[in-house]
Amino acid sequence: GQNIDQPTEMTATEGAIVQINCTYQTSGFNGLFWYQQHAGEAPTFLSYNVLDGLEEKGRFSSFLSRSKGYSYLLLKELQMKDSASYLCAVLDSNYQLIWGAGTKLIIKP
Amino acid sequence: DGGITQSPKYLFRKEGQNVTLSCEQNLNHDAMYWYRQDPGQGLRLIYYSQIVNDFQKGDIAEGYSVSREKKESFPLTVTSAQKNPTAFYLCASTPPGSDTGELFFGEGSRLTVL
């Protein structure tokens, strides 16, 4: 079966750095997405990785290792508004999106 | 401004009633999707449509129905056959020719069955 694993919840301090991991086992791979979702709102796109390596976009970076079936989202200089759920999703060989359950990130002052 | 509009935002339904959730987009996107989100689970695909007058079942289509009579509109009906309909429903679309398949989401509709 296809599976995406992420930690259920993480806590970090304002101004710090946090890394949210995502491991996947899917039938084929055509890219990995990270979305941010504030409580009760729609997910918004953060990043897309299809090749190995690190993609940096401001305070957020996303890393992919296809051989390890692994990705992480790195958030720097954390702000209170970063409190949200972070969803990892993989596009499989049929171009269907497989979603993880999301990681709830709690930022403390 | 362009975007995806879902309505209603909150909806209460008695058991045995059908309910229709609206999804309208003015982004000129061809592909549209309906997802269901439950606590502790990933998004699950209900139905999707790549083009007008055509749609396909997703992973959990039982108890749901859709139509795609216009490019802009993709309404979802939750029928009385859906045994556990209380959930957060998300409509999404992707632009034509997208390299990444990035999804644009509506604000969601929260359905509660009483």
Side-chain angles (χ1 to χ4, degrees), chain A residues 24-36:
Chain A
Y24 62 90
Q25 293 173 310
T26 56
S27 55
F29 179 85
N30 280 300
L32 185 145
F33 295 83
W34 284 97
Y35 283 82
Q36 180 190 59

PDB file of all heavy atoms in Angstrom, chain A residues 24-36:
ATOM      1  N   TYR A  24       7.976   8.542   2.820  1.00  0.00           N
ATOM      2  CA  TYR A  24       6.911   8.055   1.957  1.00  0.00           C
ATOM      3  C   TYR A  24       7.258   6.720   1.317  1.00  0.00           C
ATOM      4  O   TYR A  24       8.438   6.410   1.084  1.00  0.00           O
ATOM      5  CB  TYR A  24       6.572   9.087   0.870  1.00  0.00           C
ATOM      6  CG  TYR A  24       7.706   9.402  -0.075  1.00  0.00           C
ATOM      7  CD1 TYR A  24       7.891   8.668  -1.242  1.00  0.00           C
ATOM      8  CD2 TYR A  24       8.579  10.447   0.199  1.00  0.00           C
ATOM      9  CE1 TYR A  24       8.925   8.951  -2.117  1.00  0.00           C
ATOM     10  CE2 TYR A  24       9.618  10.739  -0.663  1.00  0.00           C
ATOM     11  CZ  TYR A  24       9.789   9.999  -1.827  1.00  0.00           C
ATOM     12  OH  TYR A  24      10.823  10.290  -2.674  1.00  0.00           O
ATOM     13  N   GLN A  25       6.219   5.952   1.069  1.00  0.00           N
ATOM     14  CA  GLN A  25       6.316   4.715   0.295  1.00  0.00           C
ATOM     15  C   GLN A  25       5.147   4.737  -0.671  1.00  0.00           C
ATOM     16  O   GLN A  25       3.992   4.595  -0.258  1.00  0.00           O
ATOM     17  CB  GLN A  25       6.215   3.490   1.217  1.00  0.00           C
ATOM     18  CG  GLN A  25       7.379   3.323   2.152  1.00  0.00           C
ATOM     19  CD  GLN A  25       7.133   2.197   3.160  1.00  0.00           C
ATOM     20  OE1 GLN A  25       6.089   2.161   3.810  1.00  0.00           O
ATOM     21  NE2 GLN A  25       8.081   1.299   3.287  1.00  0.00           N
ATOM     22  N   THR A  26       5.459   4.981  -1.928  1.00  0.00           N
ATOM     23  CA  THR A  26       4.405   5.111  -2.930  1.00  0.00           C
ATOM     24  C   THR A  26       4.764   4.312  -4.169  1.00  0.00           C
ATOM     25  O   THR A  26       5.929   3.957  -4.390  1.00  0.00           O
ATOM     26  CB  THR A  26       4.197   6.584  -3.333  1.00  0.00           C
ATOM     27  OG1 THR A  26       5.443   7.120  -3.795  1.00  0.00           O
ATOM     28  CG2 THR A  26       3.702   7.414  -2.160  1.00  0.00           C
ATOM     29  N   SER A  27       3.756   4.051  -4.978  1.00  0.00           N
ATOM     30  CA  SER A  27       3.982   3.371  -6.246  1.00  0.00           C
ATOM     31  C   SER A  27       4.399   4.433  -7.256  1.00  0.00           C
ATOM     32  O   SER A  27       3.568   5.085  -7.872  1.00  0.00           O
ATOM     33  CB  SER A  27       2.713   2.657  -6.703  1.00  0.00           C
ATOM     34  OG  SER A  27       1.635   3.572  -6.758  1.00  0.00           O
ATOM     35  N   GLY A  28       5.687   4.626  -7.380  1.00  0.00           N
ATOM     36  CA  GLY A  28       6.209   5.647  -8.274  1.00  0.00           C
ATOM     37  C   GLY A  28       6.278   7.006  -7.605  1.00  0.00           C
ATOM     38  O   GLY A  28       5.735   7.221  -6.508  1.00  0.00           O
ATOM     39  N   PHE A  29       6.953   7.907  -8.270  1.00  0.00           N
ATOM     40  CA  PHE A  29       7.159   9.239  -7.679  1.00  0.00           C
ATOM     41  C   PHE A  29       7.239  10.269  -8.796  1.00  0.00           C
ATOM     42  O   PHE A  29       8.046  10.137  -9.732  1.00  0.00           O
ATOM     43  CB  PHE A  29       8.459   9.247  -6.872  1.00  0.00           C
ATOM     44  CG  PHE A  29       8.767  10.579  -6.252  1.00  0.00           C
ATOM     45  CD1 PHE A  29       8.224  10.934  -5.033  1.00  0.00           C
ATOM     46  CD2 PHE A  29       9.616  11.482  -6.901  1.00  0.00           C
ATOM     47  CE1 PHE A  29       8.514  12.165  -4.457  1.00  0.00           C
ATOM     48  CE2 PHE A  29       9.908  12.717  -6.332  1.00  0.00           C
ATOM     49  CZ  PHE A  29       9.353  13.056  -5.102  1.00  0.00           C
ATOM     50  N   ASN A  30       6.390  11.287  -8.677  1.00  0.00           N
ATOM     51  CA  ASN A  30       6.420  12.386  -9.641  1.00  0.00           C
ATOM     52  C   ASN A  30       6.461  13.739  -8.958  1.00  0.00           C
ATOM     53  O   ASN A  30       6.060  14.744  -9.543  1.00  0.00           O
ATOM     54  CB  ASN A  30       5.226  12.296 -10.595  1.00  0.00           C
ATOM     55  CG  ASN A  30       5.441  11.279 -11.690  1.00  0.00           C
ATOM     56  OD1 ASN A  30       6.375  11.376 -12.483  1.00  0.00           O
ATOM     57  ND2 ASN A  30       4.581  10.272 -11.721  1.00  0.00           N
ATOM     58  N   GLY A  31       6.901  13.737  -7.716  1.00  0.00           N
ATOM     59  CA  GLY A  31       7.052  15.011  -7.036  1.00  0.00           C
ATOM     60  C   GLY A  31       6.468  14.989  -5.644  1.00  0.00           C
ATOM     61  O   GLY A  31       5.597  14.151  -5.327  1.00  0.00           O
ATOM     62  N   LEU A  32       6.964  15.871  -4.794  1.00  0.00           N
ATOM     63  CA  LEU A  32       6.495  15.957  -3.414  1.00  0.00           C
ATOM     64  C   LEU A  32       6.144  17.402  -3.101  1.00  0.00           C
ATOM     65  O   LEU A  32       6.897  18.319  -3.443  1.00  0.00           O
ATOM     66  CB  LEU A  32       7.577  15.434  -2.465  1.00  0.00           C
ATOM     67  CG  LEU A  32       7.198  15.347  -0.978  1.00  0.00           C
ATOM     68  CD1 LEU A  32       7.853  14.126  -0.314  1.00  0.00           C
ATOM     69  CD2 LEU A  32       7.546  16.620  -0.222  1.00  0.00           C
ATOM     70  N   PHE A  33       5.010  17.573  -2.456  1.00  0.00           N
ATOM     71  CA  PHE A  33       4.500  18.904  -2.126  1.00  0.00           C
ATOM     72  C   PHE A  33       4.471  19.096  -0.612  1.00  0.00           C
ATOM     73  O   PHE A  33       4.248  18.157   0.143  1.00  0.00           O
ATOM     74  CB  PHE A  33       3.061  19.074  -2.617  1.00  0.00           C
ATOM     75  CG  PHE A  33       2.890  19.042  -4.099  1.00  0.00           C
ATOM     76  CD1 PHE A  33       2.794  17.843  -4.774  1.00  0.00           C
ATOM     77  CD2 PHE A  33       2.795  20.219  -4.822  1.00  0.00           C
ATOM     78  CE1 PHE A  33       2.614  17.804  -6.147  1.00  0.00           C
ATOM     79  CE2 PHE A  33       2.612  20.193  -6.195  1.00  0.00           C
ATOM     80  CZ  PHE A  33       2.515  18.982  -6.855  1.00  0.00           C
ATOM     81  N   TRP A  34       4.649  20.349  -0.207  1.00  0.00           N
ATOM     82  CA  TRP A  34       4.348  20.770   1.158  1.00  0.00           C
ATOM     83  C   TRP A  34       3.309  21.886   1.088  1.00  0.00           C
ATOM     84  O   TRP A  34       3.431  22.822   0.284  1.00  0.00           O
ATOM     85  CB  TRP A  34       5.593  21.289   1.865  1.00  0.00           C
ATOM     86  CG  TRP A  34       6.538  20.222   2.314  1.00  0.00           C
ATOM     87  CD1 TRP A  34       7.659  19.773   1.681  1.00  0.00           C
ATOM     88  CD2 TRP A  34       6.456  19.462   3.538  1.00  0.00           C
ATOM     89  NE1 TRP A  34       8.268  18.794   2.407  1.00  0.00           N
ATOM     90  CE2 TRP A  34       7.555  18.581   3.565  1.00  0.00           C
ATOM     91  CE3 TRP A  34       5.558  19.447   4.620  1.00  0.00           C
ATOM     92  CZ2 TRP A  34       7.793  17.693   4.614  1.00  0.00           C
ATOM     93  CZ3 TRP A  34       5.787  18.575   5.663  1.00  0.00           C
ATOM     94  CH2 TRP A  34       6.889  17.709   5.652  1.00  0.00           C
ATOM     95  N   TYR A  35       2.277  21.725   1.918  1.00  0.00           N
ATOM     96  CA  TYR A  35       1.235  22.738   2.043  1.00  0.00           C
ATOM     97  C   TYR A  35       1.132  23.158   3.507  1.00  0.00           C
ATOM     98  O   TYR A  35       1.371  22.363   4.418  1.00  0.00           O
ATOM     99  CB  TYR A  35      -0.130  22.179   1.605  1.00  0.00           C
ATOM    100  CG  TYR A  35      -0.325  22.080   0.111  1.00  0.00           C
ATOM    101  CD1 TYR A  35       0.187  21.003  -0.601  1.00  0.00           C
ATOM    102  CD2 TYR A  35      -1.035  23.052  -0.583  1.00  0.00           C
ATOM    103  CE1 TYR A  35       0.000  20.908  -1.971  1.00  0.00           C
ATOM    104  CE2 TYR A  35      -1.226  22.962  -1.954  1.00  0.00           C
ATOM    105  CZ  TYR A  35      -0.708  21.889  -2.637  1.00  0.00           C
ATOM    106  OH  TYR A  35      -0.901  21.799  -4.002  1.00  0.00           O
ATOM    107  N   GLN A  36       0.731  24.406   3.713  1.00  0.00           N
ATOM    108  CA  GLN A  36       0.463  24.918   5.050  1.00  0.00           C
ATOM    109  C   GLN A  36      -1.050  25.076   5.201  1.00  0.00           C
ATOM    110  O   GLN A  36      -1.718  25.564   4.277  1.00  0.00           O
ATOM    111  CB  GLN A  36       1.131  26.284   5.234  1.00  0.00           C
ATOM    112  CG  GLN A  36       0.909  26.911   6.595  1.00  0.00           C
ATOM    113  CD  GLN A  36       1.383  28.366   6.638  1.00  0.00           C
ATOM    114  OE1 GLN A  36       0.914  29.203   5.883  1.00  0.00           O
ATOM    115  NE2 GLN A  36       2.337  28.650   7.522  1.00  0.00           N
TER     116      GLN A  36
END
